């Protein structure tokens, strides 16, 4: 890549063996959108105060392993514990009263902004409006604070329903990036049959 022009060149760019290339879409909302109705039911969203690293990673893996969520699995335990215990970070779970079925993490550590850091459901909770219930909570909690921007990013490893869902929720795309990283299925951080929609290419 030309260091004077830090953008990818036109055309195809080879990806090294053992690496993954992920297209990331960044979205933002600059004011609260109209509330979209969520179905009534037995599920609720609860604040998860200072979760342990082990419990958090368990839910993180259940929600995200099939969508190639790996960042919090690679992070040092002490670093993750500091984030989860930071007063500028709020973690919520979707629950049926017996188990946690969804993860919502809001990051207010940058003044005037909120990042929707993580948002997702375990496979058995997808459908039936559970995502709308969790998103309504995310939007409501974010805009309770003195922010002027609420943002999130999603990628082509995520569910194909994610990007249109975020847009229906009021987020608008503003940038596209490409992320190159190690394939965690080859390095042992993720089971080899995870994220079957992402081709697994063995290193020669």
């Amino acid at each position: 890549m030309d260091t004077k022009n830090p953008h990818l060149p036109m055309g195809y760019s080879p990806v090294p063996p053992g690496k993954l290339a992920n297209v990331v879409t960044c979205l933002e909302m600059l004011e609260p959108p109209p509330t979209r109705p969520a179905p009534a039911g037995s599920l609720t969203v609860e604040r998860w105060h200072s979760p342990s690293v082990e419990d958090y990673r368990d839910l993180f893996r259940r929600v995200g392993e099939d969508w190639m969520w790996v960042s919090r699995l690679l992070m040092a335990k002490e670093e993750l514990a500091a984030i989860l215990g930071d007063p500028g970070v709020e973690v919520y779970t979707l629950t049926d009263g017996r188990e946690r079925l969804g993860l919502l993490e809001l990051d207010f550590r940058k003044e005037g902004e909120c990042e929707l850091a993580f948002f997702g459901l375990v496979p058995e909770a997808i459908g039936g409006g559970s995502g709308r219930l969790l998103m309504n909570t995310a939007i409501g909690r974010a805009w309770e604070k003195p922010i002027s921007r609420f943002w999130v990013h999603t990628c082509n490893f995520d569910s194909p329903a994610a990007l249109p869902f975020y847009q229906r929720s009021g987020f608008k795309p503003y940038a596209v990036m490409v992320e190159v990283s190690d394939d965690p299925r080859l390095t042992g951080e993720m089971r080899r049959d995870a994220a079957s929609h992402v081709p697994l290419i063995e290193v020669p």
Side-chain angles (χ1 to χ4, degrees), residues 103-172:
L103 175 65
L104 164 62
E105 186 175 328
L106 301 174
D107 189 339
F108 294 95
R109 289 178 294 173
K110 186 172 181 179
E111 185 176 358
E113 294 188 3
C114 177
E115 179 187 0
L116 180 56
F118 293 100
F119 178 96
L121 306 172
V122 299
E124 59 268 30
I126 294 173
S130 300
R132 177 54 53 200
L133 174 62
L134 195 61
M135 179 57 77
N136 285 354
T137 299
I139 293 171
R141 294 290 188 269
W143 288 103
E144 283 179 355
K145 302 293 179 69
I147 65 169
S148 57
R149 179 174 180 259
F150 186 27
W151 68 279
V152 65
H153 65 260
T154 186
C155 67
N156 67 317
F157 292 165
D158 208 344
S159 165
L163 182 56
F165 176 78
Y166 287 135
Q167 291 178 283
R168 288 195 304 273
S169 299
F171 290 97
K172 295 182 179 180

Side-chain angles (χ1 to χ4, degrees), residues 23-94:
V23 179
V24 179
T25 301
C26 302
L27 306 99
E28 64 183 0
M29 63 170 67
L30 303 180
E31 60 183 6
T35 300
R36 296 178 65 94
S42 59
L43 299 179
T44 59
V45 181
E46 298 178 353
R47 179 77 180 271
W48 195 7
H49 292 280
S50 300
S52 71
V53 169
E54 291 76 15
D55 287 345
Y56 176 93
R57 279 182 170 161
D58 176 69
L59 181 58
F60 184 91
R61 190 182 291 274
R62 288 172 57 214
V63 169
E65 190 164 40
D66 281 332
W67 308 118
M68 201 59 75
W69 287 19
V70 71
S71 60
R72 292 292 173 80
L73 304 179
L74 301 178
M75 186 176 289
K77 182 176 180 179
E78 297 76 13
E79 183 181 357
L80 179 53
I83 292 172
L84 298 177
D86 193 299
V89 175
E90 298 182 2
V91 182
Y92 298 84
T93 64
L94 181 74

